[in-house]
Coordinates of all heavy atoms in Angstrom, one line a residue:
A10 N 92.1 51.6 48.3 CA 91.1 52.6 48.7 C 90.1 52.1 49.7 O 89.7 52.7 50.7 CB 90.5 53.3 47.5
E34 N 92.9 70.6 30.7 CA 92.0 71.5 30.2 C 90.6 71.3 30.9 O 90.3 70.1 31.3 CB 91.9 71.5 28.7 CG 91.5 70.2 28.1 CD 91.5 70.1 26.6 OE1 92.1 71.1 26.0 OE2 91.0 69.2 26.0
V38 N 82.5 77.3 32.7 CA 81.3 78.0 32.8 C 81.5 79.3 33.5 O 82.1 79.3 34.6 CB 80.2 77.2 33.5 CG1 78.9 77.9 33.6 CG2 80.0 75.8 32.8
A69 N 83.1 66.3 37.7 CA 84.4 65.7 37.6 C 84.5 64.6 36.6 O 85.5 64.3 36.0 CB 84.9 65.2 39.0
P73 N 86.2 67.0 28.8 CA 86.9 67.3 30.0 C 86.0 67.7 31.2 O 84.8 68.0 30.9 CB 87.8 68.5 29.5 CG 87.0 69.2 28.5 CD 86.2 68.1 27.8
Y118 N 36.4 62.2 79.7 CA 36.3 61.9 78.2 C 36.5 63.2 77.5 O 37.2 63.3 76.5 CB 34.9 61.3 77.9 CG 34.7 61.2 76.4 CD1 35.2 60.1 75.7 CD2 33.9 62.2 75.8 CE1 35.0 60.0 74.3 CE2 33.7 62.1 74.4 CZ 34.2 61.0 73.7 OH 34.0 60.9 72.3
E164 N 35.5 63.5 63.6 CA 35.6 63.2 62.2 C 35.9 64.3 61.3 O 36.3 64.1 60.2 CB 34.2 62.5 61.8 CG 33.0 63.5 61.9 CD 31.8 62.8 61.5 OE1 31.8 61.6 61.1 OE2 30.7 63.4 61.7
E170 N 42.2 55.3 60.6 CA 43.2 54.7 59.8 C 43.3 53.3 60.0 O 43.6 52.5 59.1 CB 44.5 55.5 60.0 CG 45.7 55.0 59.1 CD 46.9 55.8 59.3 OE1 46.9 57.0 58.8 OE2 47.9 55.3 59.9
R178 N 44.6 42.6 76.7 CA 43.6 43.3 77.5 C 43.2 44.6 77.0 O 42.4 45.3 77.6 CB 44.2 43.4 78.9 CG 44.4 42.1 79.6 CD 44.9 42.4 81.1 NE 45.0 41.1 81.8 CZ 45.4 41.1 83.1 NH1 45.6 42.2 83.8 NH2 45.6 39.9 83.7
A193 N 49.8 71.8 58.6 CA 49.6 72.1 60.0 C 50.7 73.0 60.5 O 50.5 74.0 61.3 CB 49.5 70.9 60.9
R198 N 52.7 78.5 62.0 CA 53.6 79.6 61.9 C 52.8 80.9 61.5 O 53.2 82.0 62.0 CB 54.7 79.3 60.8 CG 55.7 78.3 61.3 CD 56.9 78.4 60.3 NE 56.6 77.9 59.0 CZ 56.7 76.6 58.6 NH1 57.1 75.7 59.5 NH2 56.3 76.3 57.4
E222 N 47.4 112.1 74.5 CA 46.8 112.6 75.8 C 47.7 113.7 76.4 O 47.2 114.6 77.1 CB 46.6 111.5 76.7 CG 45.5 110.6 76.3 CD 45.4 109.4 77.2 OE1 46.2 109.3 78.2 OE2 44.5 108.5 77.0
A232 N 46.0 128.6 83.5 CA 47.2 129.4 83.6 C 47.3 130.1 84.9 O 46.3 130.3 85.6 CB 47.1 130.6 82.5

Side-chain angles (χ1 to χ4, degrees):
E34 58 184 14
V38 179
Y118 174 80
E164 62 182 357
E170 184 174 286
R178 295 185 177 182
R198 285 195 295 269
E222 289 174 2

